[in-house]
Amino acid sequence: MSGTPEWQALADHFAKVRDMHLRDLFAEDPGRAASMTVEAADLVLDYSKNRLTGETVRLLVAAAERAGLRERTEEMFSGRHINVTEDRAVLHVALRAPEGARIDEGGADVVPEVHKVLERMASFADAVRSGQWRGFTGKPIKRVVNIGIGGSDLGPAMAYEALLPYSQRALSLGFVSNVDGSDIWEATAGSDPEETLFVVSSKTFTTLETIGNAKTAREWLLSSLGDPASVRNHFVAVSTNAKQVAAFGIDTANMFEFWDWVGGRYSFDSAIGLSLMISVGPELFRQMLAGLRAVDEHFREAPLERNIPALLGLIGVWYNDFFGAETQAVLPYDHYLAKFPAYLQQLDMESNGKRVTLDGEPVDMATGPVVWGTPGTNGQHAYYQLLHQGTRLVPADFIGFLRPAHRVGNHHDLLMANFFAQTEALAFGKTPEQASAEGIPERLVPHRTFPGNRPTNTILAPELSPRVLGELVATYEHKVLTQGVIWGINSFDQWGVELGKSLALRIVPELTSEAAPELGHDSSTNALIARYRAARRP
Ligand code: F6P
């Protein structure tokens, strides 16, 4: 990409606009906010508080077209194997395709399969919610614990929390991911095994953390219920790997299937969302799918300059590759979206944290940023200082809602006042002249000046409903695709997680075996392991 005339045009343009200030851009164009606001489905994106002009957007769109964003999008939607290093289709969009749509993969239409699994999930979720599904001793289920990690945890955990106001409160949900025994310990402490259902979620069903936690959960169950036959009532599996599910001892009649064409981090709306569906019910889960679908259609059809996911992706590229920004903050002004940044970390960083192109050549530009964030207003009293006055450029997405989940006093007005105030303060700052005019003593003026020109996107939606949550997730999924296409990388593999995994497997016996095998690592790792081994001795 970097050798193309479109990229060069962006570089030339950058040299002209890099020092422009948002104060001037707004002063010069009273219609700026209106022309830089896009609406799609239930979402409104105002990207006017970014350091760009209409020409920037035109050039970014030209770069996206040159990179083949449209073609790659169509390839994805039509089941082509765009995950080239794993020779797989990338069809999370099929998970929300309507009945009657047709998407072929491996010579077969996958949409009927998707709906078949959705139906099975719905019957099961209804059975658990209604108390018809019983534990081994005949008690209804009151606690559901999803055991999974990465994409088999972050999505359902995030969405469960996001949709808590819509959940069946009599059912408590827990999410166990960490191999640290404290996680399963806390998730089971105080729970009644007779009333607990474990949903073991793993695409591969070989993931060390998940299988380890599932074994411990089974021991916990059996230490109380005794009879191995009880596993059938208290364990279900979500996986692509029926063989491993059976090997673990879960009846494949209690397995909910998904497919290798759903990437782990793109899977929360597949059967991986089973625990979420149990919590909110099949109807609201379907509303969430409709939200995802609405943004899929928008992304596929809207012109790129009016296309919310594409614009977010392109604006991100602008800061990442021209301004040299290294991070991207995501700041949801909604308590229930506390886990959304963590979910996006995997979605974005596992997808676009790549250093070679699709052809295996080194990428000659910066790829995925470090994604982070926490809900407003908490961040304001923690790290926003750096956003306002630090030396780094931190582009930020602000996500807010017109209506709160709960009308508690004037809390929502206070929250949203902060939401609007922050993007205004970041964009326009406070000049030394303004500070002086406020009577600030001269020696303090530099400290109390705000440079402004700190870029933000504002995403507004009516309320955090299941449908809107789906829209937000699809927006970021397609943002990630947009950026991956520009950088020419494979956003759908994750080889970078493998080395640590295989080294850990090699180290396990070095920690646990009585024979204390000789250590063949570097001097640092050897010494650290030796110290651990010494401490482990009785
Ligand atoms: O190690 C990374 C990863 O493969 C993620 O991509 C995936 O979401 C996670 O592990 C869990 O994998 P699985 O669902 O197969 O247990």
Side-chain angles (χ1 to χ4, degrees), residues 445-527:
V445 165
H447 300 276
R448 300 194 56 180
T449 293
F450 291 73
N453 222 13
R454 313 264 156 149
T456 59
N457 289 305
T458 297
I459 299 172
L460 267 181
E463 62 197 342
L464 182 53
S465 61
R467 183 182 163 93
V468 166
L469 180 68
E471 292 178 19
L472 285 172
V473 169
T475 294
Y476 279 95
E477 284 177 349
H478 300 319
K479 171 196 170 175
V480 165
L481 172 78
T482 301
Q483 297 191 330
V485 172
I486 297 273
W487 295 322
I489 56 179
N490 183 359
S491 302
F492 304 105
D493 61 10
Q494 57 285 318
W495 300 107
V497 300
E498 295 303 327
L499 179 59
K501 279 188 199 172
S502 59
L503 282 176
L505 286 177
R506 178 177 151 201
I507 292 174
V508 171
E510 295 174 350
L511 303 186
T512 53
S513 119
E514 286 304 317
E518 197 176 324
L519 299 172
H521 307 272
D522 59 277
S523 59
S524 162
T525 311
N526 282 348

Side-chain angles (χ1 to χ4, degrees), residues 149-152 202-204 207 210 264-265 346 350 494 497 501:
I149 197 164
S152 300
S202 174
K203 181 174 171 180
T204 55
T207 305
T210 300
R265 54 194 174 273
Q346 188 198 11
E350 202 174 69
Q494 57 285 318
V497 300
K501 279 188 199 172

Side-chain angles (χ1 to χ4, degrees), residues 15-162:
K16 289 189 212 128
V17 302
R18 60 184 301 167
D19 295 324
M20 283 182 177
H21 200 291
L22 283 166
R23 284 181 203 127
D24 302 319
L25 291 170
F26 272 85
E28 284 158 15
D29 178 9
R32 181 174 171 92
S35 64
M36 293 191 178
T37 295
V38 180
E39 296 185 34
D42 294 289
L43 305 180
V44 175
L45 167 67
D46 175 346
Y47 66 92
S48 62
K49 293 193 186 84
N50 278 294
R51 294 169 65 172
L52 45 72
T53 64
E55 176 69 355
T56 319
V57 175
R58 201 184 61 70
L59 294 172
L60 285 166
V61 165
E65 276 160 358
R66 171 67 181 231
L69 177 59
R70 285 302 193 195
E71 294 78 358
R72 187 61 56 80
T73 302
E74 283 317 302
E75 284 173 8
M76 178 175 80
F77 275 87
S78 55
R80 292 276 297 280
H81 285 206
I82 63 170
N83 176 356
V84 288
T85 60
E86 296 180 305
D87 191 18
R88 284 180 182 166
V90 175
L91 274 178
H92 44 277
V93 290
L95 299 171
R96 52 264 192 166
E99 266 180 306
R102 186 180 175 101
I103 302 177
D104 284 340
E105 150 57 18
D109 181 7
V110 298
V111 178
E113 278 297 297
V114 166
H115 284 271
K116 211 162 86 194
V117 174
L118 269 174
E119 282 309 314
R120 284 192 62 225
M121 288 167 65
S123 316
F124 180 72
D126 280 337
V128 174
R129 287 163 65 81
S130 66
Q132 189 196 331
W133 179 278
R134 300 271 160 162
F136 190 61
T137 58
K139 289 190 177 176
I141 298 300
K142 298 233 177 83
R143 176 138 176 92
V144 177
V145 179
N146 183 80
I147 300 179
I149 197 164
S152 300
D153 165 73
L154 287 164
M158 175 279 290
Y160 165 64
E161 204 164 302

Side-chain angles (χ1 to χ4, degrees), residues 147-421:
I147 300 179
I149 197 164
S152 300
D153 165 73
L154 287 164
M158 175 279 290
Y160 165 64
E161 204 164 302
L163 300 181
L164 210 51
Y166 299 85
S167 67
Q168 181 163 315
R169 298 280 185 160
L171 276 170
S172 93
L173 258 73
F175 291 85
V176 172
S177 53
N178 201 327
V179 76
D180 182 336
S182 306
D183 203 0
I184 184 89
W185 175 274
E186 290 296 339
T188 49
S191 302
D192 181 350
E194 294 178 64
E195 299 176 341
T196 302
L197 174 76
F198 292 99
V199 179
V200 186
S201 300
S202 174
K203 181 174 171 180
T204 55
F205 229 76
T206 55
T207 305
L208 182 108
E209 292 88 342
T210 300
I211 301 307
N213 279 321
K215 283 182 181 157
T216 302
R218 188 172 53 192
E219 280 162 24
W220 176 81
L221 182 86
L222 295 182
S223 69
S224 167
L225 301 188
D227 191 338
S230 61
V231 168
R232 193 186 159 81
N233 301 64
H234 294 271
F235 276 80
V236 296
V238 179
S239 188
T240 59
N241 190 342
K243 213 165 131 212
Q244 288 297 332
V245 169
F248 180 84
I250 297 177
D251 189 339
T252 47
N254 292 337
M255 168 180 154
F256 297 84
E257 191 191 2
F258 67 116
W259 307 272
D260 73 358
W261 40 262
V262 184
R265 54 194 174 273
Y266 297 87
S267 69
F268 94 113
D269 48 337
S270 71
I272 290 292
L274 182 63
S275 50
L276 171 68
M277 191 194 268
I278 294 171
S279 172
V280 301
E283 174 49 31
L284 296 187
F285 194 90
R286 285 183 194 282
Q287 287 179 20
M288 188 183 76
L289 295 180
L292 285 145
R293 184 161 64 240
V295 170
D296 290 346
E297 285 162 7
H298 163 71
F299 178 61
R300 206 172 174 185
E301 288 158 16
L304 295 179
E305 59 279 5
R306 308 291 299 164
N307 190 311
I308 292 180
L311 282 168
L312 287 174
L314 294 174
I315 293 167
V317 166
W318 179 235
Y319 294 119
N320 199 67
D321 295 298
F322 293 93
F323 283 88
E326 299 211 323
T327 81
Q328 168 72 57
V330 181
L331 307 167
Y333 276 61
D334 190 296
H335 187 69
Y336 289 116
L337 279 182
K339 294 209 167 103
F340 195 57
Y343 168 74
L344 290 184
Q345 279 179 332
Q346 188 198 11
L347 179 66
D348 197 317
M349 294 165 76
E350 202 174 69
S351 295
N352 285 343
K354 308 286 164 63
R355 54 180 284 286
V356 294
T357 63
L358 290 165
D359 301 328
E361 297 297 325
V363 188
D364 58 359
M365 55 183 89
T367 61
V370 176
V371 177
W372 59 281
T374 53
T377 58
N378 301 10
Q380 290 173 209
H381 295 271
Y383 51 78
Y384 276 37
Q385 165 65 40
L386 184 149
L387 304 193
H388 285 287
Q389 288 187 317
T391 54
R392 295 173 194 283
L393 183 72
V394 182
D397 290 354
F398 279 68
I399 303 172
F401 299 93
L402 303 179
R403 290 188 293 275
H406 311 286
R407 293 210 175 270
V408 186
N410 66 344
H411 283 253
H412 197 63
D413 295 333
L414 291 176
L415 174 72
M416 292 306 285
N418 277 281
F419 178 81
F420 297 124

